[in-house]
Coordinates of all heavy atoms in Angstrom, one line a residue:
A1085 N 94.9 11.5 117.8 CA 95.2 13.0 117.9 C 96.6 13.3 117.5 O 97.6 12.5 117.8 CB 94.9 13.5 119.3
S1086 N 96.9 14.4 116.9 CA 98.2 14.8 116.5 C 98.3 16.3 116.4 O 97.2 17.0 116.5 CB 98.6 14.2 115.1 OG 97.7 14.7 114.1
G1087 N 99.5 16.8 116.2 CA 99.7 18.3 116.0 C 100.2 19.0 117.2 O 100.4 20.2 117.1
G1088 N 100.3 18.4 118.4 CA 100.9 19.0 119.5 C 102.4 19.3 119.4 O 103.0 18.9 118.4
G1089 N 102.9 20.1 120.3 CA 104.3 20.4 120.3 C 104.6 21.6 121.2 O 103.8 21.9 122.1
L1090 N 105.8 22.1 121.0 CA 106.3 23.2 121.9 C 106.2 24.5 121.1 O 106.7 24.6 119.9 CB 107.8 22.9 122.3 CG 108.5 24.1 123.0 CD1 107.8 24.3 124.3 CD2 110.0 23.7 123.2
V1091 N 105.6 25.5 121.7 CA 105.4 26.8 121.0 C 105.6 27.9 122.0 O 105.4 27.7 123.2 CB 104.1 26.9 120.3 CG1 102.9 26.8 121.3 CG2 103.9 28.1 119.4
Q1092 N 106.1 29.1 121.5 CA 106.2 30.2 122.4 C 104.9 30.9 122.6 O 103.9 30.8 121.8 CB 107.2 31.2 121.7 CG 108.6 30.8 121.8 CD 109.6 31.9 121.4 OE1 109.2 32.8 120.6 NE2 110.8 31.9 121.9
A1093 N 104.8 31.6 123.7 CA 103.5 32.3 124.0 C 103.2 33.3 122.8 O 104.1 33.9 122.3 CB 103.7 33.1 125.3
G1094 N 102.0 33.3 122.5 CA 101.5 34.1 121.3 C 101.5 33.3 120.0 O 100.9 33.8 119.0
G1095 N 102.0 32.2 120.0 CA 102.1 31.4 118.8 C 100.8 30.6 118.6 O 99.8 30.7 119.3
S1096 N 100.8 29.7 117.6 CA 99.7 29.0 117.1 C 100.0 27.5 116.9 O 101.2 27.2 116.6 CB 99.1 29.5 115.8 OG 98.7 30.9 116.0
L1097 N 99.0 26.7 117.1 CA 99.1 25.3 116.8 C 97.8 24.8 116.2 O 96.7 25.4 116.6 CB 99.5 24.4 118.0 CG 100.9 24.4 118.5 CD1 101.0 23.6 119.8 CD2 101.9 23.8 117.4
R1098 N 97.8 23.8 115.4 CA 96.5 23.2 115.0 C 96.6 21.7 115.3 O 97.4 21.0 114.8 CB 96.2 23.4 113.5 CG 94.8 22.9 113.1 CD 94.5 23.2 111.7 NE 94.9 22.1 110.8 CZ 94.3 21.8 109.6 NH1 93.2 22.5 109.3 NH2 94.8 20.9 108.8
L1099 N 95.6 21.3 116.1 CA 95.5 19.9 116.5 C 94.5 19.2 115.5 O 93.5 19.8 115.1 CB 95.0 19.7 117.9 CG 95.8 20.4 119.0 CD1 95.2 20.0 120.4 CD2 97.3 20.0 118.9
S1100 N 94.8 17.9 115.2 CA 93.9 17.1 114.4 C 93.5 15.9 115.2 O 94.3 15.4 116.0 CB 94.6 16.8 113.1 OG 94.9 17.9 112.3
C1101 N 92.4 15.4 114.9 CA 91.9 14.1 115.5 C 91.2 13.3 114.4 O 90.1 13.7 113.9 CB 91.0 14.3 116.6 SG 90.3 12.8 117.4
A1102 N 91.8 12.2 114.0 CA 91.3 11.4 112.9 C 90.5 10.2 113.6 O 91.1 9.5 114.4 CB 92.4 10.9 112.0
A1103 N 89.3 10.0 113.1 CA 88.5 8.9 113.7 C 88.4 7.7 112.7 O 88.3 7.9 111.5 CB 87.1 9.4 114.0
S1104 N 88.5 6.5 113.2 CA 88.4 5.3 112.3 C 87.7 4.2 113.1 O 87.6 4.2 114.3 CB 89.8 4.8 111.9 OG 90.6 4.5 113.0
G1105 N 87.1 3.3 112.3 CA 86.3 2.3 113.0 C 84.9 2.3 112.6 O 84.4 3.3 112.1
R1106 N 84.2 1.2 112.9 CA 82.8 1.1 112.5 C 81.9 2.2 113.1 O 81.0 2.7 112.5 CB 82.3 -0.3 112.9 CG 81.0 -0.7 112.3 CD 80.7 -2.1 112.6 NE 79.4 -2.5 112.1 CZ 78.9 -3.7 112.1 NH1 79.6 -4.7 112.7 NH2 77.7 -4.0 111.6
T1107 N 82.2 2.6 114.3 CA 81.3 3.6 115.0 C 81.3 4.9 114.2 O 80.4 5.6 114.3 CB 81.9 3.8 116.4 OG1 81.8 2.6 117.2 CG2 81.1 4.9 117.1
F1108 N 82.4 5.1 113.5 CA 82.5 6.4 112.8 C 82.3 6.2 111.3 O 82.7 7.1 110.5 CB 83.9 7.0 113.0 CG 84.2 7.2 114.5 CD1 85.2 6.5 115.1 CD2 83.4 8.1 115.2 CE1 85.4 6.7 116.5 CE2 83.7 8.3 116.6 CZ 84.7 7.5 117.2
S1109 N 81.5 5.2 110.9 CA 81.2 5.0 109.5 C 80.4 6.2 108.9 O 80.6 6.5 107.7 CB 80.5 3.7 109.3 OG 79.3 3.7 110.0
T1110 N 79.6 6.8 109.7 CA 79.0 8.0 109.4 C 79.4 9.1 110.4 O 78.8 9.3 111.4 CB 77.4 7.9 109.4 OG1 77.1 6.8 108.5 CG2 76.8 9.2 108.8
F1111 N 80.5 9.7 110.1 CA 81.2 10.6 111.1 C 80.3 11.7 111.5 O 80.4 12.2 112.7 CB 82.5 11.1 110.5 CG 83.4 11.8 111.5 CD1 83.8 11.2 112.6 CD2 83.8 13.1 111.2 CE1 84.6 11.9 113.5 CE2 84.6 13.8 112.1 CZ 85.0 13.2 113.3
S1112 N 79.4 12.2 110.7 CA 78.5 13.3 111.0 C 77.5 12.9 112.1 O 76.8 13.7 112.6 CB 77.8 13.8 109.8 OG 77.0 12.8 109.2
S1113 N 77.4 11.6 112.4 CA 76.5 11.1 113.5 C 77.1 11.3 114.9 O 76.5 11.0 115.9 CB 76.2 9.7 113.3 OG 75.5 9.5 112.1
N1114 N 78.4 11.7 114.9 CA 79.1 11.8 116.2 C 79.5 13.3 116.5 O 80.3 13.9 115.8 CB 80.4 11.0 116.2 CG 80.1 9.5 115.8 OD1 80.2 9.1 114.6 ND2 79.7 8.8 116.8
A1115 N 78.9 13.8 117.6 CA 79.5 15.0 118.1 C 80.9 14.8 118.6 O 81.2 13.7 119.1 CB 78.6 15.6 119.2

């Protein structure tokens, strides 16, 4: 996970989560 930080009220952030490993070889199989 990445993208966190300090922001003022009313602001925006976008978090990302990158998956790797055999379990995620077909990422669309994972909710």
Side-chain angles (χ1 to χ4, degrees):
S1086 61
L1090 173 63
V1091 64
Q1092 287 190 330
S1096 298
L1097 283 173
R1098 188 174 86 150
L1099 305 184
S1100 299
C1101 176
S1104 60
R1106 190 172 181 178
T1107 297
F1108 303 115
S1109 58
T1110 307
F1111 189 55
S1112 58
S1113 297
N1114 304 97

